[in-house]
Amino acid sequence: MTAPLSLSPVSRRDVQRRLLAVAAVFLFLYSLALTLAPAARLHNWQATYRWQHWVGFATWLIVIGAAERFTARLAPNRDPLLLPLVGLLAGWGLLSIFRLSGEFGLRQSLWLGVSGAVYILGLRDGRSLPILRRYKYFWLTSGLALTALTLIFGTNPLGIGPRLWLGCCGFYFQPSEPLKLLFIVYLAAYLADRKPLVPATLPLLMPTLAVTALALLLLIVQRDLGTASIFVFIYTAVVFAATGKRRILVASVLTLGLAGALGYRLFDVVALRVEAWLNPWLDPSGRSYQIIQSLIAIAAGGMLGRGPGMGSPGLVPVAHSDFIYAALIEEHGLIGSIALLTLLALFTLRGLKISLQAANRYHRHLALGITAYFATQSILIIGGNIRLLPLTGVTLPFISYGGSSLLTSFLGLLLLTLVSQAQGAPDTAADETRPTIMLGGLLLAGLAAAALITGWWAFWRGPDLLSRNDNVRRSIAERYVPRGRLLDRDLQPLHFTQGSPGEYERMYVYPDLGAVLGFNNPVYGQTGAEEGFDAYLRGLANYPAWEIWRNHLLYGQPPPGLDVRLTLHAGLQQAAQQALQNTSGAIVVLNPETGEILALASSPTFDASLLNVQAESLFADPAGPLLNRATQGLYQPGPALGPLLYASAWQHVVLPAEPGPLEAVVNAETFFCARTPNDPTDWSDVLRGGCPGPSALLGVEIGGEALLALAVDAGFYSAPLAELPVHSLDQPSLISTPGTVASGQGSLRVTPLQLARALSAVSNRGVIPAIRLGLAVQDPDGGWQDLPLEPTAIQVFSPEAASAAARQLANPLGSAWEVTANALNGPETPLSWYVVSTLPGHYAPRLVLVLLEADRAASARAIGAALFQFDLISGDS
């Protein structure tokens, strides 16, 4: 590690002043951005501006300005980069704390004033280093005694958690913070005094091991396990640098591993943090809530960040202290992360340089210990924020909120400044230099790893994290940016946003469509069409990339949401939903040629506008009102499969001459026709009447292999719609009992939407259409752009086979084909199916499927017939 060219006292002060001026400009601009942020959020100058943080900026100017003046006069040979680095870190942290909490910001400003005053007083008294060395045992004993007092008189300012503080009446002090520095002073002085006299390693280290064990025992009893880890790292760094014994590193790693294993067994807090670190996704709203929200905050920052004052860092618990790194990155992005880690790396390099150029062993060990303390603690807390390491609960030096931490950090800065001021001709031998360089490499590697992992969460995993339902930032953004409307096919509003910036609220025109169209809720996330078309509705799709980037850069928000036009017909949709009142079931109405869904109903349902009030009862309701039965309910299809089976048998030329027995026996249960046929030998009567025996016979004739292929082509093992949550069974490797499956009472279960789509092939010349819920999305200029179709249409029968099935199923009037079927979805859950559809080539194609979770075939037919006759123009049945 080569030292740079030496600087004269004049040039040192010039460098220090210029760097502090740059820091002041940055903090001024940061303060200005925080003031203007409310106007940027509202896109309006009529906003309530923030001013409180200017108190922090003024305090920083006074304290750092005074520190610069006294440093230049009292320590002319000091390292000129130390104070600018610390000043920028402290100011950045102070303004970030004000951003999160004005009260904590004012307290931190007070502590900054105290810390600056102590720093200046320490500079004025040049005897600090020798006094610390001479009375090392006294200082360490005093620190241990103060820390021990917390076992009796300890308190916690929050009222909960470990009692690590002494004080009252709003003033609290954490003795374990300065104890770190006193421990470093003790190690540095002891090793400098004793190493020349005791060359053997073990006798030399025995007293230090005893003192370290005492300190660790005290911290473990306090359950201050984060600080205990710091002590282990400090001891390792100083002793390794002093002895050069690599086995010290190995022993420390083993000690930490053993301590971690014991802590996991003995302390619940350690077990919870380790489990949250290993797999935070198991309990994202419980024990892993902090780390999940931290990662989401980092992902929200992206490359450039949301902008000062434009993010929502307060969503991360304890963001002003333990998670201030995540709070910074959300608003400053990966660029801010790299800048922060670079500042910490530069501080580490300057500390190592001071150590290498120290005039004696005491100064060298002292500078190295302080540098290792700052770097290690930074890596530990940042690593906990980004899931590189388990959470430790320590602070980020100079940045996190905490008076004890800030004061201790400035005391460390004081000692480093005094060591650099006292530099002379270094007496460092080559064998003593190598351990220091090696430690420096390890510390810098840790900071580099933190940068890489931050980038991983911000970019590679960022999209997944931001799309999570527990990312409340999406809902917060929608309070300031209007969400697009959901419109029916005739541009009638179904869902829309009203209000003014900062108070936008989602409105639901048809309250009983909650189970289908879903909701957009800041607490419970999104479901239904609100979730399926979210990217368009939030303004994250169908905009030019530069427009999205510009809004993100200026406001930390997406552009205004775009309207989405659905295939639904509002009148028909409302009629379908009303037809299911007081009945559990589902209805699907679609165009069998285009696959456009005209209506999709589910009952019981809920009112999305009342979700915040009724959420607990809705989640606990055994009737399942939140379930969209049309797309998520899996049901035995019964003989409703008959049209598909008949077309397949006809195409494979295996159609029996007569239907055979009308009943079917499955698992000792006898199933009968839904409607008694006039002629039990006529395929038309038995298919329309939903007789299970003939369906079973068709399945046997078709065979298991062909029946499985039919089920696959029909889409029974896949989701027919991307925009809504759709359940489906896993595809089996074979169907061993084709008769049972074909009767509709076997292993096959389908959703109403899957069955309706498959039966569309009968009316569409053997082609199963691609199901469509979204017709078009609005362009930013107001035009409309068709939405893509997925998946593609599938030809499952020949047109002749489909036509043959339609003719057999045609009603006596010849106006449509229909089928009525009963099924049993469990011992106490009878089902009634009714399907009616236009014949192939009809000028206004329509298919209606009705499912009732009851033995009410007549009611299902009545509902289906009314919806089939519904006039889309006049709105009459």
Side-chain angles (χ1 to χ4, degrees):
M1 189 174 296
T2 305
L5 296 175
S6 61
L7 300 171
S8 68
V10 175
S11 62
R12 285 177 185 274
R13 182 168 191 185
D14 190 47
V15 169
Q16 183 171 275
R17 278 184 170 179
R18 290 182 179 180
L19 291 176
L20 283 174
V22 172
V25 170
F26 168 77
L27 296 177
F28 172 79
L29 294 176
Y30 187 15
S31 299
L32 182 62
L34 289 178
T35 296
L36 298 178
R41 273 184 179 269
L42 296 176
H43 299 212
N44 192 321
W45 292 108
Q46 303 301 317
T48 303
Y49 295 97
R50 299 171 179 157
W51 301 101
Q52 201 173 25
H53 58 275
W54 288 101
V55 174
F57 180 68
T59 302
W60 182 88
L61 282 177
I62 295 171
V63 172
I64 299 302
E68 191 282 329
R69 182 176 180 181
F70 280 96
T71 301
R73 181 163 61 89
L74 300 175
N77 296 320
R78 82 286 176 199
D79 188 305
L81 299 187
L82 285 181
L83 185 60
L85 288 170
V86 167
L88 182 52
L89 290 171
W92 197 354
L94 177 61
L95 292 179
S96 298
I97 294 169
F98 265 107
R99 157 74 181 98
L100 294 162
S101 169
E103 179 184 354
F104 286 133
L106 291 173
R107 291 183 182 181
Q108 190 79 344
S109 297
L110 177 62
W111 275 108
L112 180 61
V114 172
S115 301
V118 171
Y119 173 77
I120 292 171
L121 290 175
L123 287 176
R124 293 175 65 89
D125 187 354
R127 299 173 300 167
S128 299
L129 293 180
I131 288 177
L132 288 172
R133 180 176 187 176
R134 180 177 305 171
Y135 300 106
K136 56 183 177 292
Y137 295 109
F138 169 76
W139 299 118
L140 181 61
T141 303
S142 300
L144 290 171
L146 278 175
T147 305
L149 285 177
T150 60
L151 300 177
I152 304 173
F153 303 107
T155 185
N156 190 308
L158 299 178
I160 57 173
R163 297 182 300 171
L164 307 179
W165 286 262
L166 295 175
C168 69
C169 310
F171 180 84
Y172 300 95
F173 185 74
Q174 189 175 356
S176 61
E177 287 292 335
L179 181 60
K180 300 171 189 174
L181 277 184
L182 298 176
F183 181 63
I184 294 170
V185 168
Y186 161 75
L187 287 177
Y190 175 84
L191 292 172
D193 294 340
R194 301 296 297 171
K195 188 172 185 297
L197 304 176
V198 185
T201 302
L202 187 58
L204 172 69
L205 297 183
M206 284 302 296
T208 66
L209 287 171
V211 172
T212 304
L214 177 62
L216 290 177
L217 179 62
L218 178 59
L219 293 170
I220 290 172
V221 171
Q222 280 189 315
R223 297 201 173 190
D224 190 358
L225 303 178
T227 301
S229 302
I230 298 293
F231 268 68
V232 174
F233 283 113
I234 290 173
Y235 183 83
T236 302
V238 175
V239 171
F240 174 67
T243 63
K245 304 295 185 181
R246 297 193 179 188
R247 57 178 175 266
I248 298 292
L249 297 177
V250 177
S252 297
V253 171
L254 294 176
T255 300
L256 281 173
L258 179 60
L262 290 175
Y264 182 82
R265 294 288 185 182
L266 299 176
F267 299 106
D268 291 340
V269 63
V270 176
L272 290 175
R273 287 180 174 179
V274 170
E275 291 169 2
W277 170 56
L278 293 175
N279 196 345
W281 322 110
L282 289 179
D283 189 14
S285 59
R287 63 191 179 196
S288 304
Y289 181 75
Q290 285 181 302
I291 183 62
I292 292 294
Q293 292 301 316
S294 174
L295 299 179
I296 292 175
I298 291 171
M303 173 62 78
L304 300 176
R306 295 287 179 177
M310 299 299 293
S312 302
L315 295 175
V316 184
V318 204
H320 61 284
S321 181
D322 293 5
F323 285 90
I324 198 166
Y325 177 77
L328 284 170
I329 304 314
E330 177 172 352
E331 298 198 335
H332 297 275
L334 185 59
I335 295 296
S337 167
I338 294 173
L340 175 60
L341 293 169
T342 300
L343 292 175
L344 294 173
L346 287 173
F347 186 89
T348 302
L349 286 171
R350 302 310 292 185
L352 294 172
K353 173 182 174 290
I354 292 170
S355 175
L356 290 172
Q357 294 186 341
N360 56 64
R361 285 188 173 87
Y362 168 56
H363 287 182
R364 183 164 66 253
H365 299 335
L366 184 61
L368 178 70
I370 294 171
T371 303
Y373 152 49
F374 285 142
T376 299
Q377 184 157 314
S378 299
I379 293 169
L380 279 179
I381 188 59
I382 291 174
N385 279 207
I386 60 177
R387 204 187 154 215
L388 176 63
L389 299 168
L391 289 173
T392 54
V394 296
T395 56
L396 186 56
F398 299 108
I399 298 177
S400 292
Y401 170 77
S404 307
S405 173
L406 187 63
L407 178 58
T408 302
S409 298
F410 267 83
L411 287 172
L413 170 66
L414 169 65
L415 296 180
L416 277 179
T417 302
L418 293 176
V419 171
S420 67
Q421 165 66 17
Q423 286 180 356
D427 65 350
T428 311
D431 60 338
E432 295 178 334
T433 301
R434 282 192 292 271
T436 300
I437 295 175
M438 183 176 176
L439 278 174
L442 292 174
L443 295 174
L444 293 176
L447 293 172
L452 290 174
I453 299 300
T454 301
W456 162 268
W457 294 116
F459 285 95
W460 187 260
R461 293 296 305 277
D464 293 337
L465 290 168
L466 295 178
S467 63
R468 291 176 59 90
N469 283 337
D470 51 2
N471 177 21
V472 187
R473 289 161 183 81
R474 299 186 302 178
S475 299
I476 292 176
E478 287 171 355
R479 290 169 50 193
Y480 295 90
V481 180
R483 185 174 176 84
R485 297 178 299 170
L486 284 175
L487 308 173
D488 86 333
R489 63 188 304 109
D490 296 325
L491 302 182
Q492 297 298 312
L494 302 173
H495 292 181
F496 66 94
T497 295
Q498 72 174 15
S500 57
E503 298 178 353
Y504 283 125
E505 183 181 3
R506 197 64 167 168
M507 306 302 293
Y508 306 94
V509 178
Y510 300 103
D512 55 354
L513 303 188
V516 174
L517 294 183
F519 54 78
N520 183 68
N521 187 278
V523 177
Y524 302 103
Q526 300 168 319
T527 59
E530 289 281 2
E531 180 180 12
F533 297 101
D534 181 62
Y536 299 112
L537 298 173
R538 291 182 61 217
L540 294 179
N542 221 42
Y543 271 100
W546 67 267
E547 179 69 13
I548 297 175
W549 179 84
R550 184 182 72 86
N551 277 265
H552 179 85
L553 181 63
L554 293 179
Y555 312 114
Q557 300 165 348
L562 299 174
D563 294 345
V564 175
R565 183 184 177 194
L566 303 180
T567 61
L568 300 177
H569 184 281
L572 180 59
Q573 176 69 50
Q574 193 173 16
Q577 192 66 52
Q578 290 177 349
L580 289 176
Q581 283 186 348
N582 303 319
T583 303
S584 294
I587 294 175
V588 179
V589 183
L590 53 79
N591 184 322
E593 293 184 0
T594 64
E596 295 176 6
I597 300 175
L598 303 177
L600 200 67
S602 176
S603 179
T605 185
F606 65 97
D607 184 348
S609 63
L610 300 178
L611 183 62
N612 289 333
V613 178
Q614 300 177 347
E616 290 188 11
S617 60
L618 288 174
F619 287 122
D621 192 339
L626 296 171
L627 179 73
N628 182 357
R629 284 166 162 76
T631 63
Q632 296 175 286
L634 289 170
Y635 300 96
Q636 295 281 9
L641 294 174
L644 300 176
L645 298 169
Y646 184 91
S648 179
W650 191 95
Q651 181 162 307
H652 288 87
V653 196
V654 294
L655 183 66
E658 293 187 358
L662 300 183
E663 297 80 18
V665 179
V666 179
N667 296 328
E669 183 83 29
T670 303
F671 294 90
F672 301 93
C673 302
R675 299 172 68 182
T676 304
N678 295 323
D679 184 356
T681 64
D682 182 5
W683 277 106
S684 298
D685 271 1
V686 299
L687 288 176
R688 287 198 306 270
C691 296
S695 293
L697 176 62
L698 291 175
V700 172
E701 295 296 329
I702 293 171
E705 184 176 348
L707 186 59
L708 177 60
L710 173 62
V712 172
D713 290 342
F716 292 153
Y717 303 115
S718 59
L721 189 62
E723 293 83 8
L724 293 181
V726 179
H727 291 172
S728 62
L729 295 177
D730 294 332
Q731 180 180 331
S733 57
L734 56 87
I735 292 180
S736 57
T737 56
T740 301
V741 171
S743 71
Q745 289 296 151
S747 58
L748 178 64
R749 290 172 182 256
V750 297
T751 67
L753 181 60
Q754 285 175 321
L755 184 57
R757 175 177 179 254
L759 291 173
S760 294
V762 177
S763 296
N764 192 32
R765 300 176 178 85
V767 176
I768 294 182
I771 291 297
R772 189 173 193 179
L773 180 62
L775 272 179
V777 60
Q778 194 173 33
D779 288 327
D781 59 6
W784 290 94
Q785 177 180 335
D786 289 342
L787 288 170
L789 277 175
E790 290 185 9
T792 58
I794 301 174
Q795 182 87 43
V796 291
F797 310 125
S798 66
E800 295 77 13
S803 179
R807 287 195 304 270
Q808 289 293 336
L809 292 160
N811 59 28
L813 297 178
S815 59
W817 65 262
E818 63 180 351
V819 59
T820 306
N822 288 337
L824 197 62
N825 218 46
E828 299 180 0
T829 312
L831 303 175
S832 296
W833 294 92
Y834 178 70
V835 182
V836 59
S837 180
T838 53
L839 296 172
H842 196 277
Y843 71 94
R846 183 183 303 181
L847 182 145
V848 178
L849 180 146
V850 179
L851 166 69
L852 301 182
E853 295 181 1
D855 187 5
R856 296 173 56 187
S859 297
R861 288 197 302 274
I863 292 172
L867 297 176
F868 187 71
Q869 297 296 329
F870 189 92
D871 190 330
L872 297 183
I873 298 177
S874 67
D876 295 329
S877 298

